[in-house]
Amino acid sequence: MKEKRVLFIGLVWPEPTSSAAGFRMMQLIETFLDRSYQITFASAAAKSPYSAALKPLGVDEQSIVLNSDSFDGFIAALQPDIVVFDRFMVEEQYGWRVAQQCPDALRILDTEDLHFLRQARQTCIKNKDDFSFEELFTDTAKEKLLRYYDAIYH
């Protein structure tokens, strides 16, 4: 039976002690580890002193180059079953290459950076209003939702 592979592509390396997003990314990685996936985490960013130690967990680490054909060879050789993009901009940068080289891979766009949801809730609490869709669907929210839609369906 073929080993199941998941590739995480991050804008930055996970920093679980300095950001909620990094903490959440580690939860996702642990979920796949618990299900016996071979995991590779790739990023074009430099590591920081706060970056999680992934290798001791059994996660392969791969530095990638933004806007480079070298990513095509990397992804074609890896042939992941699942690719997780940590932000829509990461999907915009690499998603089309994943689709070309691994058309059968399930592509997941992590939407934890949909800040307009938090902003709408904060506005309602500040104004002592019930949460409403009018507060949610600002021009910024509509623009971000359209970008997510394009990233997923195009």
Side-chain angles (χ1 to χ4, degrees), residues 25-48:
M25 187 57 56
M26 293 306 296
Q27 288 178 322
L28 293 173
I29 288 170
E30 289 169 10
T31 298
F32 282 101
L33 284 171
D34 289 346
R35 286 161 180 78
S36 301
Y37 275 80
Q38 178 186 339
I39 299 174
T40 301
F41 193 97
S43 180
K47 289 188 177 184
S48 81

Side-chain angles (χ1 to χ4, degrees), residues 58-105:
V59 175
D60 295 326
E61 298 177 354
Q62 180 69 42
S63 291
I64 52 178
V65 179
L66 187 60
N67 297 325
S68 173
D69 292 345
S70 63
F71 182 81
D72 297 342
F74 160 69
I75 192 86
L78 186 64
Q79 285 297 306
D81 301 289
I82 300 172
V83 178
V84 179
F85 305 95
D86 79 341
R87 290 173 176 79
F88 78 90
M89 71 172 59
V90 172
E91 195 285 332
E92 288 177 325
Q93 293 164 342
Y94 297 99
W96 65 276
R97 292 183 183 275
V98 171
Q100 283 181 344
Q101 301 299 321
C102 305
D104 295 329

Side-chain angles (χ1 to χ4, degrees), residues 3-153:
E3 189 172 31
K4 300 175 291 186
R5 294 185 181 136
V6 61
L7 170 65
F8 285 84
I9 305 175
L11 181 65
V12 297
W13 296 91
E15 297 181 357
T17 60
S18 65
S19 77
F23 186 83
R24 177 66 181 143
M25 187 57 56
M26 293 306 296
Q27 288 178 322
L28 293 173
I29 288 170
E30 289 169 10
T31 298
F32 282 101
L33 284 171
D34 289 346
R35 286 161 180 78
S36 301
Y37 275 80
Q38 178 186 339
I39 299 174
T40 301
F41 193 97
S43 180
K47 289 188 177 184
S48 81
Y50 304 103
S51 297
L54 299 175
K55 286 183 181 180
L57 299 174
V59 175
D60 295 326
E61 298 177 354
Q62 180 69 42
S63 291
I64 52 178
V65 179
L66 187 60
N67 297 325
S68 173
D69 292 345
S70 63
F71 182 81
D72 297 342
F74 160 69
I75 192 86
L78 186 64
Q79 285 297 306
D81 301 289
I82 300 172
V83 178
V84 179
F85 305 95
D86 79 341
R87 290 173 176 79
F88 78 90
M89 71 172 59
V90 172
E91 195 285 332
E92 288 177 325
Q93 293 164 342
Y94 297 99
W96 65 276
R97 292 183 183 275
V98 171
Q100 283 181 344
Q101 301 299 321
C102 305
D104 295 329
L106 174 65
R107 290 176 282 155
I108 299 173
L109 178 57
D110 187 356
T111 58
E112 70 186 39
D113 67 339
L114 287 177
H115 298 292
F116 67 86
L117 290 172
R118 186 180 313 145
Q119 291 168 344
R121 181 177 167 269
Q122 184 178 13
T123 299
C124 289
I125 290 171
K126 181 180 173 186
N127 296 335
K128 297 184 184 305
D129 291 334
D130 290 332
F131 184 81
S132 70
F133 285 102
E134 290 78 25
E135 293 293 335
L136 177 62
F137 289 110
T138 62
D139 289 340
T140 301
K142 290 173 190 174
E143 178 184 327
K144 195 138 193 172
L145 283 172
L146 286 173
R147 288 171 125 182
Y148 273 104
Y149 177 83
D150 286 343
I152 293 168
Y153 294 106

